[in-house]
Amino acid sequence: MVKYSIIIPVYNRPDEVDELLRSLVKQTFTDFEVLVIEDGSNNRCDSVVDNYKSKLNISYYFKENSGQGFTRNYGFERADGEWLIVFDSDCLIPGDYLAIVDDYIKRHKIEAFGGPDRAHETFTSVQKAISYSMTSLFTTGGVRGDKNHIGVFHPRSFNMGIHKSVFEKTGGYILPRKGEDLEFSIRIIENGFKTALIEDAFVYHKRRTNFSQFFKQLHFFGTARINVFRHFKSELKLFHFFPSIFLLGIATGLFLAILFPILGGIILGFYALYFLLILIDAGIKTKSIRIAVLSVIASYIQLTAYGMGFLKEALLYIRKG
């Protein structure tokens, strides 16, 4: 049995898989296998995988499209590793990733872990701005991989590992998509397994390449939160309402600015201050005025798109009773 099995679900992204596999070749810890699971793609990556068979212990599988959750299960079922690690296909993995994970697991009693994501220096300015927005305390509360995250840490499937016993007990993902990773993390914790954030086990996550794609993704994330609520009523926390409150607050401020300019101006002034803080924080962290400005735009898109998806799905849930 190998120590780690890396599961990579993929759908029509051969170029990204090539970059991901190239980064795995550089791992300093080498006791691992790679399973690439093609989820019914039209643009397959089997030829890409073939190029790495002399460099990696790698297997390729093709299956009918069923969504990323069930595709990860497909990989879990065929893996030989003691630990099962999932990466999104649009990630790049630092060379010391597995060495860091292995060292942490030896020193801590855990059954599941997750790591943060960062922007690589080769990413575009928009990708770096999106990365800031998706990891900032101002927009997410640190739930995606900050040591100051709110509550118990829930690993996310773009960078996540579980002991094989976790899969054997939980059965893996029960949703194909739309909040499937969060639902799985909740069940992992409810089954008594201990999770941990390994801060240094980060990946470079490409995310979306333009704001239009980013809007669609975050709108989907907003609907996914309500989908998780359908299964776990206790998992809808006050801070999950923040994007919707943010969205309604802007709409209210703009409306009042027409009828009651002073009151509307006060409300919009708070938003201006909020975005100024994001601009300053992003400027300090990215060391770029351009990326800082784009980070403000990305943060606005993230909160409004998520809020719209959240409200839309919540109203649908209420109507259905």
Side-chain angles (χ1 to χ4, degrees):
M1 174 183 284
V2 295
K3 187 69 178 289
Y4 299 99
S5 293
I6 295 175
I7 316 299
I8 304 170
V10 58
Y11 181 71
N12 289 330
R13 292 184 175 185
D15 292 339
E16 290 182 348
V17 170
D18 187 28
E19 292 181 314
L20 172 53
L21 295 180
R22 195 181 311 151
S23 70
L24 290 176
V25 171
K26 300 176 182 178
Q27 289 299 305
T28 57
F29 183 98
T30 59
D31 188 10
F32 69 95
E33 65 172 353
V34 181
L35 292 83
V36 177
I37 317 298
E38 192 93 64
D39 187 27
S41 302
N42 295 317
N43 189 10
R44 300 189 184 188
C45 64
D46 49 342
S47 60
V48 172
V49 173
D50 287 341
N51 293 332
Y52 288 90
K53 286 189 174 179
S54 63
K55 304 173 185 177
L56 294 167
N57 178 6
I58 190 168
S59 301
Y60 172 85
Y61 299 91
F62 182 89
K63 53 179 280 299
E64 292 185 4
N65 181 265
S66 62
Q68 56 265 39
F70 295 164
T71 301
R72 295 174 189 129
N73 285 346
Y74 187 98
F76 291 161
E77 292 167 354
R78 289 157 179 78
D80 291 327
E82 177 186 355
W83 281 84
L84 312 174
I85 296 177
V86 174
F87 293 134
D88 279 356
S89 61
D90 57 352
C91 289
L92 303 176
I93 317 303
D96 58 353
Y97 176 94
L98 285 176
I100 290 171
V101 168
D102 193 64
D103 177 68
Y104 189 95
I105 288 173
K106 288 176 179 176
R107 294 185 291 106
H108 300 83
K109 183 175 176 54
I110 61 171
E111 292 85 23
F113 70 87
D117 54 342
R118 300 181 183 177
H120 194 270
E121 60 182 10
T122 61
F123 289 1
T124 67
S125 294
V126 170
Q127 286 175 316
K128 290 176 180 178
I130 290 173
S131 179
Y132 167 84
S133 179
M134 289 292 288
T135 57
S136 172
L137 282 169
F138 284 104
T139 53
T140 68
V143 298
R144 295 184 67 90
D146 190 282
K147 65 181 179 180
N148 298 314
H149 62 271
I150 298 173
V152 178
F153 179 67
H154 293 75
R156 303 299 178 95
S157 296
F158 66 87
N159 177 12
M160 176 182 185
I162 60 172
H163 191 270
K164 196 154 194 176
S165 60
V166 174
F167 174 62
E168 291 169 348
K169 184 173 181 179
T170 63
Y173 297 84
I174 64 172
L175 298 177
R177 54 180 64 85
K178 206 171 185 179
E180 80 291 339
D181 57 344
L182 182 55
E183 188 282 331
F184 184 32
S185 285
I186 294 169
R187 278 191 296 111
I188 289 173
I189 295 167
E190 288 193 344
N191 274 276
F193 294 109
K194 184 177 180 181
T195 67
L197 164 67
I198 306 179
E199 281 192 271
D200 293 331
F202 64 87
V203 300
Y204 297 113
H205 199 180
K206 281 188 171 183
R207 303 190 183 281
R208 296 297 173 259
T209 57
N210 60 61
F211 286 140
S212 176
Q213 292 176 343
F214 185 52
F215 180 92
K216 293 177 182 178
Q217 182 186 47
L218 268 295
H219 186 276
F220 181 83
F221 285 174
T223 63
R225 171 54 63 177
I226 299 299
N227 196 38
V228 170
F229 170 72
R230 290 186 172 96
H231 296 269
F232 301 99
K233 298 297 188 290
S234 63
E235 287 298 323
L236 192 60
K237 309 297 184 183
L238 182 61
F239 65 86
H240 293 136
F241 289 85
F242 173 65
S244 299
I245 295 172
F246 171 91
L247 178 64
L248 294 174
I250 284 186
T252 300
L254 291 172
F255 176 76
L256 290 177
I258 299 174
L259 300 179
F260 307 99
I262 295 178
L263 181 57
I266 292 174
I267 294 174
L268 295 177
F270 280 112
Y271 280 90
L273 177 61
Y274 173 72
F275 285 121
L276 177 61
L277 292 173
I278 290 177
L279 180 68
I280 294 171
D281 184 60
I284 293 172
K285 290 182 176 177
T286 65
K287 297 179 174 59
S288 167
I289 295 298
R290 172 179 169 78
I291 297 174
V293 172
L294 290 172
S295 295
V296 172
I297 298 173
S299 298
Y300 175 79
I301 291 173
Q302 177 178 327
L303 292 171
T304 54
Y306 188 103
M308 290 171 64
F310 184 94
L311 288 173
K312 177 183 177 181
E313 196 72 10
L315 290 173
L316 181 63
Y317 174 80
I318 292 171
R319 282 202 299 268
K320 289 185 176 180

